[in-house]
Amino acid sequence: MLMQESVADREIFSRLAIQPPDALLGLIGLYRADRRPGKIDLGVGVFRDDAGRTPVMRAVKAGEAKLLRDQESKSYLGAEGDIRFVELLAEVAFGAGADRPVGIQTPGGTGALRLGAELIARSRPDATVWIGTPTWPNHAPIFREAGMMTRTHRFYDVASAAIDFDGMIEDLREAKAGDVLLLHGCCHNPTGADLNSAQWQEIGLLCARRALVPFIDLAYQGLGDALEADAAGMRGLLDMLPEALVAYSCDKNFGLYRERVGALWVQSGAAELVRSNMLALARSLWSMPPDHGAAVTRLVLEDDALRADWVSELDAMRARINELRSVLAASHPRLAAIGDQRGMFALLPLTPEAVDALRRDHGIYMAGNGRINIAGLTLETVPAFVAALASYL
Ligand code: LMR
């Protein structure tokens, strides 16, 4: 006898549950709908200039003009994307003349993280990915959707506005050989608190001793201290270990956000094996990465004048952020640590209620955990911002 099935059971999507909308991306719409003239957008992580714009960088505009003029075909390139782009970006990430891990182009840093997650899951499905708290809210879902287990370790203590390095090392005692340690290469999102060179060294020793594999998310190179300095911790770690993964994003340092430009590199003794699996996975995930942004990045990096202009504009973006950091740090004792931290973000010691009240009563938009995008401020708006904030600190 046939079982009675309800219509709802027969429908293919009936077993899905409604998912909460992405809180960070949701801020974009909320801010746009707010009609108050003095509103301040410190939400999603995009660079803003003094006028609150997120401009297309000069060198990128010039690269795009060149691409439009000279591109003769849009025929397929293959799952690896633009090979010359990957080579030139590797010089930026790993240094000229350095040994290069195997790498392919990916759709943004998220694509790189997902591809790395799929690669690990394919080979070591029982590995756990260790993720510091707090972190970018998309990190854990990326690994979980690839079928991996995740666990958290302490990273940043909001009350003391400092990295809890002892807590991190203590929590990692439970990591087992072959587990993966997710690290932020620089400009930690959401805290701005970066590991110092002694801490990078200690993590390298820990990974070597315990056979942990670091997976470094490098999404803000050049927005902390300088292009080279921002990669130094990661480079040192790669020198100490046989295996590591690096997810790179050009969203912020080339201002290419929606073009989705990134790369995944994997350091491994089994380079050919890894490469063939990266290509097979990429083919099934997105077939080939989008070309435009990567082609433009290649044109910028292979032209000395455009490259120099990109570096100088990136320097100016960083200088703007770091000036705002100094001003914020001097404006209130509870903000003092912001002066020593780096990158676009700072994590304020605010309750969710305070974050809501700042939005409701003052038109100040930030992530629910109290993360602010410092680039959303200007020297003119800092006093009003700090005045509104002060009663909640
Ligand atoms: C952010 O953290 O605001 C950015 O990385 C944007 C994103 O994709 O979440």
Side-chain angles (χ1 to χ4, degrees):
M1 204 175 95
L2 281 176
M3 296 275 283
Q4 280 289 333
E5 267 183 321
S6 74
V7 174
D9 276 345
R10 281 206 308 270
E11 286 181 356
I12 188 167
F13 297 122
S14 63
R15 293 185 189 166
L16 297 180
I18 291 283
Q19 302 295 307
D22 187 279
L24 203 48
L25 300 183
L27 283 177
I28 298 172
L30 288 179
Y31 177 79
R32 208 176 282 146
D34 190 332
R35 299 257 166 258
R36 286 173 285 183
K39 63 183 181 175
I40 301 178
D41 183 5
L42 309 180
V44 76
V46 295
F47 176 79
R48 293 187 195 282
D49 63 15
D50 276 330
R53 287 175 308 223
T54 302
V56 180
M57 291 175 80
R58 279 189 312 266
V60 166
K61 270 277 183 212
E64 286 185 308
K66 215 168 167 175
L67 188 70
L68 270 188
R69 198 186 57 220
D70 299 340
Q71 191 175 47
E72 282 170 353
S73 172
K74 290 197 181 283
S75 172
Y76 295 127
L77 288 179
E80 64 270 55
D82 185 323
I83 295 168
R84 187 73 187 128
F85 154 79
V86 178
E87 281 172 4
L88 289 163
L89 193 65
E91 266 176 34
V92 178
F94 304 110
D99 278 351
R100 307 284 160 66
V102 286
I104 71 169
Q105 186 194 325
T106 58
T110 300
L113 286 162
R114 181 61 186 260
L115 182 61
E118 298 282 347
L119 189 66
I120 301 164
R122 190 174 251 213
S123 184
R124 291 294 166 97
D126 53 340
T128 294
V129 182
W130 289 83
I131 301 179
T133 51
T135 193
W136 182 48
N138 208 17
H139 272 147
I142 288 171
F143 288 98
R144 284 199 219 112
E145 294 291 348
M148 300 212 62
M149 283 171 298
T150 60
R151 281 189 66 178
T152 57
H153 65 78
R154 278 169 281 176
F155 179 73
Y156 185 77
D157 177 49
V158 181
S160 58
I163 293 178
D164 180 2
F165 195 68
D166 292 343
M168 173 175 176
I169 299 296
E170 195 182 317
D171 291 349
L172 288 173
R173 285 207 192 118
E174 289 187 32
K176 57 184 192 312
D179 279 357
V180 175
L181 177 58
L182 184 71
L183 297 164
H184 297 228
C186 65
C187 306
H188 187 271
N189 178 5
T191 69
D194 287 335
L195 297 163
N196 62 34
S197 52
Q199 290 166 333
W200 277 106
Q201 170 83 10
E202 200 169 320
I203 288 174
L205 292 171
L206 177 85
C207 289
R209 202 167 56 239
R210 307 276 305 286
L212 306 182
V213 181
F215 193 156
I216 300 141
D217 184 357
L218 188 59
Y220 297 86
Q221 192 187 2
L223 287 163
D225 284 313
L227 274 171
E228 296 293 306
D230 290 351
M234 173 198 71
R235 291 177 188 174
L237 198 63
L238 293 191
D239 286 344
M240 294 174 76
L241 298 168
E243 295 182 309
L245 297 89
V246 176
Y248 196 101
S249 170
C250 298
D251 288 15
K252 329 280 171 167
N253 59 0
F254 282 86
L256 280 163
Y257 312 95
R258 69 176 76 153
E259 299 292 356
R260 313 311 300 137
V261 188
L264 174 72
W265 285 281
V266 180
Q267 174 160 296
S268 162
E272 270 320 298
L273 199 56
V274 165
R275 187 178 156 76
S276 72
N277 279 275
M278 281 164 90
L279 291 172
L281 284 166
R283 178 75 167 137
S284 71
L285 285 165
W286 45 74
S287 186
M288 296 164 219
D291 177 69
H292 179 84
V296 169
T297 304
R298 165 174 52 75
L299 289 168
V300 169
L301 291 177
E302 72 189 1
D303 178 308
D304 288 346
L306 287 187
R307 188 186 185 117
D309 198 34
W310 166 65
V311 172
S312 79
E313 196 169 1
L314 185 60
D315 288 349
M317 288 159 66
R318 180 177 64 245
R320 176 175 141 65
I321 292 173
N322 286 343
E323 182 183 20
L324 284 162
R325 282 191 172 278
S326 305
V327 173
L328 276 173
S331 68
H332 194 286
R334 300 243 19 222
L335 303 180
I338 292 177
D340 298 325
Q341 296 168 345
R342 284 294 173 267
M344 274 187 191
F345 305 115
L347 189 66
L348 304 180
L350 296 173
T351 61
E353 293 72 34
V355 171
D356 282 350
L358 283 162
R359 187 185 314 164
R360 187 185 60 235
D361 302 338
H362 301 276
I364 295 171
Y365 287 74
M366 66 181 73
N369 60 357
R371 186 195 80 171
I372 56 166
N373 170 16
I374 291 171
L377 290 164
T378 65
L379 293 177
E380 288 69 43
T381 58
V382 166
F385 169 65
V386 175
L389 194 63
S391 58
Y392 301 101
L393 289 175

